[in-house]
Amino acid sequence: LVGKILAKQLGFQHLDSDLEIVKLTNKSINQIFEEKDEKYFRGVEKKVLLSLIEKENVIISLGGGSIVEKLIRVKLKKKSITVFLETSLKVLEKRLKKSFKRPLLKNVDIERKIKELDFDRRKYYLQADIIIQNIDTPSNICKNFIKEFFKFHEKTNSNKN
């Protein structure tokens, strides 16, 4: 939701990597996991993201596991400004408990799985150019992002001089 709102405010296109994967494969993420496996999904995800990263004036919402792929991290750092919307594990658990769209959370102890995924991924999330606490309304988070973006822009431009 934050990505969509921000894209609209900035006049950018919003792209969701999972939706782009669904369009490309004509299968839901769950179907891909069921018919193939996570490794196959990550390969498709990598292909899609490497293409999306090349676009300009877009906001891309990434799937949570995409950042584990080194080439994606390298391309994101080189071609874009990365943002991590940090959310507490308790809030994530509450949000995801009723979701049926997350194949990695099917038939598992959700609390334990979220902690495991966070442990594996957090080191990459924390490398984002901008980190924003995801504890407010989407419109306030967007306002906060704009403020943080200008701080980031000033910092990176002053480093070039």
Side-chain angles (χ1 to χ4, degrees):
L1 188 57
V2 171
K4 282 183 185 177
I5 294 169
L6 198 53
K8 188 173 182 179
Q9 288 177 349
L10 298 173
F12 287 3
Q13 182 180 10
H14 177 258
L15 300 168
D16 181 298
S17 63
D18 283 350
L19 291 178
E20 296 299 318
I21 291 166
V22 169
K23 280 186 211 170
L24 178 71
T25 63
N26 287 320
K27 295 183 185 295
S28 72
I29 303 300
N30 279 329
Q31 283 177 302
I32 295 170
F33 270 74
E34 288 166 12
E35 294 173 12
K36 302 289 185 175
D37 58 15
E38 183 179 2
K39 185 177 179 182
Y40 176 84
F41 170 78
R42 296 296 173 201
V44 174
E45 178 181 59
K46 180 178 173 181
K47 177 181 170 185
V48 166
L49 276 171
L50 291 176
S51 169
L52 295 181
I53 291 167
E54 295 302 317
K55 296 179 181 281
E56 293 186 1
N57 299 323
V58 297
I59 293 181
I60 305 169
S61 296
L62 302 177
S66 58
I67 203 75
V68 174
E69 169 59 48
K70 185 177 182 176
L71 184 57
I72 291 171
R73 290 194 313 273
V74 168
K75 289 280 187 182
L76 283 169
K77 272 293 187 198
K78 186 176 179 184
K79 304 278 286 180
S80 63
I81 297 169
T82 56
V83 180
F84 171 40
L85 297 177
E86 187 165 27
T87 306
S88 78
L89 297 184
K90 284 288 177 209
V91 169
L92 275 178
E93 183 185 343
K94 188 176 174 184
R95 284 184 191 166
L96 297 172
K97 231 176 195 155
K98 295 181 176 109
S99 173
F100 298 101
K101 294 182 178 182
R102 308 289 179 151
L104 293 179
L105 299 179
K106 279 186 163 182
N107 305 315
V108 296
D109 177 332
I110 291 177
E111 182 181 4
R112 185 179 313 156
K113 187 65 175 180
I114 288 172
K115 285 179 181 174
E116 177 187 307
L117 292 171
D118 183 68
F119 179 80
D120 293 341
R121 300 170 178 179
R122 180 163 287 275
K123 59 186 168 270
Y124 305 122
Y125 296 156
L126 293 176
Q127 292 173 16
D129 298 311
I130 298 171
I131 298 173
I132 296 175
Q133 297 303 310
N134 193 1
I135 55 172
D136 208 338
T137 65
S139 68
N140 283 341
I141 291 169
C142 289
K143 288 176 190 169
N144 191 18
F145 166 78
I146 299 291
K147 198 167 49 176
E148 293 300 320
F149 170 77
F150 281 113
K151 284 185 199 172
F152 173 78
H153 186 67
E154 283 178 24
K155 187 174 87 177
T156 55
N157 282 341
S158 68
N159 289 342
K160 291 179 183 176
N161 295 331

